[in-house]
């Protein structure tokens, strides 16, 4: 028997299918508390689906997900979520502060409106991501990097213990990428667990301490130093690795 | 002289009609904001067309033309139509727009058949049912105004109570679900509000053009503001404006159907907004472009002059 350690996220035998096509097949994943984990794999590997399955947004055909030993429904308050930036309409008539305050809606529950406290939390989060000068800015007037920072600020006000982020580096400028990495590392330093869907193999070793290689099945997962090997990458990408490790 | 004429016509009947049109314009305009922001403008069209057979069936079953009964029939049919569209999309390979087209025309055709049958029966009581096609605001009575006011008022209050949840649903459904809000329940709530807004306007505007009352005011309002609350207020105001002006114009002459008149008035509001709205309007854009070009020209002139002066 292995020692029973608390896991931040524990995925067991997870299978998700759209109609009859499996998108995730028999996934097992243990994420210990306080790691910065990237999920890496080719397009169509099921990375976004895995995040959504952990959040209960897609119904699995089989399997189980636990957050700190309990089902997600019981742990919503300690989980923060950053969806892909492209999933929302940035022409929606609202401003930056309003979007960030949405991160408090879960804690507020039904009907109760955000007030001064939520406003202050949102302001603080916007300072954290360097967007305090943009509070009243209409969201359609933000650059891609700024949109991403707003989404991160919205997750920060959730004040979660576990964060799930879908492609936070997609289409952002180099400055924003640096700022996001610093923020992620700060979260980890505060004992948070952060899971990030990531595209860029070049930066995995610099940014993350854990990695999961995914291509419908889990190829491998664990500390980057052990798992991020040419053999595993070849297995994940089917030999067509656009990335050569020295 | 002309104003005096119009004022003279503002008798009691016309007052009732105008109040009714203002109320339904406000409700459909305000709730149409969500339809436009969710890109569901066509769903409104489907609901209004699908509601037609409901009116006929409600009349056939009860023999009554009480507004509440007809509205209920229309609402149930509109709801069934929406449900059918969603089921077709979920269970078959038919895409959303095709499913919408099929359901819309099937229900509407069925409604036309039923209405023709009712007219053939020679039931004296059926007079006026045909107004549900193109709308006849002149048929609005005090009891209709009460129905519109109470049901529309409830819809607006519900919108206000669930303001934060509906905003979140429309902006970011996945995030809303991750926070634990039942997006299915919210979706049903929002669709129900749309159904109410639509069936309330059927008598005055008609099934064929009712969706314009949902879409046009919201589109016009979006040109003027970047805030959801202001957009909804403006859309309600524009809806009321179009409703009142349309009914007054159509009541000024016999047999002008009100629906098309109201829609034309709403179109004027949309056209005006698209051209003249500050920040978004075409005119504003043009002015800004010219100003930018002028500024750029001044800068360029400055840039090119300097080296020339150096050469001299």
């Amino acid at each position: 028997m292995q020692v029973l350690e608390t896991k931040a996220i524990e995925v067991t035998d997870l299978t998700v299918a759209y109609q009859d096509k499996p998108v995730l097949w028999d996934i097992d994943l243990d994420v210990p508390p306080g790691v910065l984990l990237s999920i890496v794999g080719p397009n169509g590997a099921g990375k976004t689906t895995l995040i959504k399955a952990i959040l209960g947004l897609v119904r699995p055909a089989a399997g189980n997900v636990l957050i700190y030993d309990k089902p997600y429904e019981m742990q919503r308050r300690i989980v923060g979520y950053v969806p892909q930036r492209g999933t929302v309409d940035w022409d929606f008539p609202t401003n930056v502060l309003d979007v960030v305050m949405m991160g408090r809606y879960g804690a507020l529950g039904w009907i109760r409106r955000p007030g001064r406290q939520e406003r202050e939390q949102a302001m603080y989060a916007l300072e954290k991501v360097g967007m305090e000068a943009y509070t009243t800015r209409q969201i359609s007037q933000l650059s891609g990097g700024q949109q991403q920072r707003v989404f991160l600020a919205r997750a920060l006000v959730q004040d979660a213990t576990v964060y799930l982020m879908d492609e936070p580096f997609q289409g952002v400028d180099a400055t924003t990428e640096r700022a996001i990495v610093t923020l992620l590392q700060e979260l980890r330093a505060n004992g948070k667990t952060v899971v990030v869907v990531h595209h860029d193999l070049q930066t995995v070793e610099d940014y993350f301490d854990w990695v999961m290689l995914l291509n419908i099945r889990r190829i491998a997962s664990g500390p980057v130093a052990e798992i991020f090997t040419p053999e595993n990458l070849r297995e994940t990408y089917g030999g067509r690795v656009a990335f050569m490790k020295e | 002289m002309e104003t005096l004429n119009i004022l003279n016509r503002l008798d009691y009947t016309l007052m009732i009609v105008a109040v009714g049109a203002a109320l339904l314009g406000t409700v459909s305009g305000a709730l149409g904001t969500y339809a436009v922001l969710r890109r569901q403008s066509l769903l409104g069209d489907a609901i209004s067309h699908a509601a037609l057979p409901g009116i006929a069936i409600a009349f056939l079953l009860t023999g009554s033309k009480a507004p509440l009964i007809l509205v209920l029939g229309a609402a149930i049919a509109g709801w069934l139509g929406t449900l059918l569209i969603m089921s077709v999309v979920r269970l078959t390979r038919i895409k959303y727009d095709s499913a919408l087209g099929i359901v819309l025309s099937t229900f509407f055709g069925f409604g036309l058949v039923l209405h023709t049958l009712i007219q053939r029966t020679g039931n004296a009581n059926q007079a006026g049912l045909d107004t549900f096609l193109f709308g006849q605001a002149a048929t609005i009575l005090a009891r209709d105004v009460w129905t519109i006011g109470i049901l529309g008022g409830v819809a607006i209050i519900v919108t206000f109570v669930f303001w934060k949840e509906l905003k979140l649903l429309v902006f970011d459904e996945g995030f809303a679900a991750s926070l634990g809000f039942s997006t299915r329940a919210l979706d049903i709530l929002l669709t129900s509000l749309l159904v109410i807004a639509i069936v309330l306007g059927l008598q005055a505007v008609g099934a064929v053009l009712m969706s314009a009352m949902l879409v046009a005011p919201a589109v016009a309002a979006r040109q003027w503001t970047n805030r959801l609350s202001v957009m909804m207020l403006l859309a309600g105001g524009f809806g009321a404006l179009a409703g009142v002006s349309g009914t007054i114009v159509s009541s000024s002459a016999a047999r002008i159907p009100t629906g098309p008149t109201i829609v034309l008035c709403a179109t004027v509001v949309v056209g005006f907004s698209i051209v003249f709205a500050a920040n978004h309007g075409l005119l504003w854009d043009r002015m800004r472009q010219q100003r930018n070009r002028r500024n750029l020209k001044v800068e360029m002139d400055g840039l090119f002059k300097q080296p020339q002066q150096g050469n001299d």
Side-chain angles (χ1 to χ4, degrees):
Chain A
M1 285 295 286
Q2 88 183 81
V3 187
L4 279 178
E5 255 184 283
T6 310
K7 290 158 193 140
I9 302 172
E10 187 178 2
V11 178
T12 342
D13 302 335
L14 183 77
T15 295
V16 178
Y18 291 140
Q19 266 128 27
D20 51 356
K21 194 171 150 245
V23 187
L24 291 173
W25 189 260
D26 201 20
I27 301 287
D28 289 299
L29 175 67
D30 290 340
V31 185
V35 302
L36 192 45
L37 172 124
S38 64
I39 303 177
V40 172
N43 289 328
K47 304 185 291 286
T48 294
T49 308
L50 177 57
I51 295 262
K52 285 188 172 172
I54 294 173
L55 289 163
L57 298 180
V58 295
R59 192 197 296 265
N64 197 20
V65 176
L66 296 176
I67 312 275
Y68 279 101
D69 300 328
K70 287 179 192 153
Y72 175 71
E73 292 75 50
M74 298 169 72
Q75 301 284 44
R76 288 184 202 284
R77 291 296 90 82
I78 64 160
V79 179
Y81 174 38
V82 180
Q84 270 184 42
R85 187 158 54 83
T87 56
V88 306
D89 176 12
W90 289 94
D91 207 26
F92 190 86
T94 190
N95 65 27
V96 166
L97 188 68
D98 202 41
V99 171
V100 176
M101 281 199 292
M102 288 177 184
R104 295 307 301 164
Y105 283 12
L108 283 167
W110 287 87
I111 297 171
R112 262 179 65 203
R113 302 284 179 93
R116 176 191 300 230
Q117 195 193 338
E118 284 72 26
R119 186 175 294 267
E120 279 167 9
Q121 285 166 314
M123 287 299 295
Y124 181 72
L126 280 168
E127 274 171 41
K128 275 273 187 205
V129 299
M131 287 284 289
E132 65 272 23
Y134 295 85
T135 49
T136 58
R137 182 68 66 92
Q138 166 67 15
I139 58 169
S140 64
Q141 290 164 10
L142 300 174
S143 70
Q146 290 170 333
Q147 290 174 353
Q148 196 61 62
R149 288 173 192 232
V150 168
F151 260 20
L152 280 167
R154 184 176 73 170
L156 287 181
V157 301
Q158 290 187 271
D159 197 18
T161 313
V162 176
Y163 283 97
L164 300 166
M165 305 184 179
D166 202 346
E167 301 265 15
F169 296 109
Q170 180 144 56
V172 305
D173 51 287
T175 327
T176 303
E177 181 152 337
R178 262 338 300 170
I180 295 176
V181 171
T182 312
L183 190 74
L184 296 185
Q185 285 165 351
E186 201 177 313
L187 285 172
R188 179 188 48 194
N190 290 327
K192 318 279 189 187
T193 308
V194 187
V195 175
V196 177
V197 171
H198 193 53
H199 234 110
D200 182 11
L201 294 177
Q202 316 281 352
T203 52
V204 169
E205 289 169 305
D206 289 341
Y207 294 173
F208 301 95
D209 50 10
W210 272 51
V211 65
M212 175 198 197
L213 296 171
L214 179 71
N215 191 354
I216 302 183
R217 298 159 190 272
R218 187 199 68 172
I219 309 299
S221 66
V224 170
E226 293 169 27
I227 300 300
F228 203 66
T229 61
E231 301 84 68
N232 279 339
L233 280 171
R234 240 193 309 281
E235 205 185 330
T236 312
Y237 287 84
R240 289 163 297 154
V241 199
F243 161 74
M244 288 294 123
K245 234 181 141 201
E246 290 303 307
Chain B
M1 281 303 283
E2 191 56 36
T3 20
L4 204 69
N5 260 341
I6 290 175
L7 281 178
N8 280 339
R9 284 203 212 98
L10 278 176
D11 54 9
Y12 177 74
T13 322
L14 193 53
M15 276 301 262
I16 292 285
V17 170
V19 170
L23 283 175
L24 80 87
T26 308
V27 174
S28 58
L31 293 175
T33 301
Y34 287 129
V36 168
L37 290 176
R38 282 194 104 187
R39 296 158 189 231
Q40 284 187 332
S41 305
L42 285 172
L43 183 65
D45 217 21
I47 294 173
S48 69
H49 281 73
L52 196 66
I55 293 166
I57 292 171
F59 176 74
L60 284 171
L61 287 179
T62 64
S64 156
K65 283 197 300 185
L68 210 57
I69 288 176
L70 297 186
V71 159
L72 196 69
I76 292 172
W79 236 115
L80 283 178
T82 313
L83 216 62
L84 196 61
I85 293 169
M86 289 171 178
S87 312
V88 167
V89 172
R90 194 175 310 153
L91 300 174
T92 72
R93 287 179 178 277
I94 300 171
K95 297 280 184 289
Y96 181 71
D97 57 335
S98 309
L100 202 125
I102 294 167
V103 170
L104 180 154
S105 41
T106 310
F107 272 63
F108 191 63
F110 184 49
L112 287 180
V113 169
L114 287 178
H115 277 267
T116 316
L117 283 178
I118 291 172
Q119 278 176 349
R120 292 257 176 84
T121 60
N123 183 341
N125 195 24
Q126 58 84 20
L129 275 183
D130 53 333
T131 60
F132 286 98
L133 213 48
F134 293 110
Q136 194 57 264
T139 60
I140 293 183
L141 304 173
R143 60 178 187 176
D144 301 309
V145 173
W146 280 109
T147 311
I148 295 171
I150 291 170
L151 285 179
V154 169
I156 297 282
I157 289 170
V158 168
T159 309
F160 187 74
V161 169
F162 294 104
W163 179 262
K164 135 174 150 282
E165 288 79 10
L166 290 174
K167 180 169 71 178
L168 186 60
L169 176 80
V170 176
F171 176 63
D172 194 345
E173 191 169 339
F175 190 69
S178 83
L179 294 180
F181 293 104
S182 166
T183 48
R184 172 163 295 190
L186 285 170
D187 209 9
I188 290 172
L189 179 72
L190 194 49
T191 309
S192 307
L193 291 173
L194 284 185
V195 169
I196 291 174
I198 286 166
V199 297
L200 289 181
L202 285 182
Q203 185 188 3
V205 185
V208 178
L209 291 171
M210 185 54 207
S211 71
M213 284 301 284
L214 229 49
V215 178
V219 168
R222 185 67 185 90
Q223 310 301 317
W224 296 94
T225 179
N226 282 326
R227 283 179 61 192
L228 180 64
S229 51
V230 180
M231 180 180 171
M232 200 170 270
L233 281 173
L234 275 178
F238 288 156
L241 182 71
V244 173
S245 49
T247 42
I248 290 177
V249 171
S250 81
S251 310
S252 67
R255 306 302 296 165
I256 297 185
T258 319
T261 323
I262 290 182
V263 169
L264 287 178
C265 292
T267 312
V268 172
V269 177
V270 172
F272 181 84
S273 301
I274 288 178
V275 176
F276 292 104
N279 293 317
H280 294 271
L282 295 175
L283 200 69
W284 180 279
D285 269 359
R286 174 64 64 82
M287 276 161 54
R288 190 167 39 203
Q289 270 173 19
Q290 272 175 1
R291 197 173 52 227
N292 287 347
R293 205 172 297 157
R294 229 180 2 252
N295 291 345
L296 194 67
K297 195 168 179 304
V298 171
E299 271 174 45
M300 297 275 270
D301 284 351
L303 274 175
F304 285 120
K305 258 179 199 144
Q306 270 170 344
Q308 274 171 4
Q309 280 166 350
N311 284 342
D312 281 350

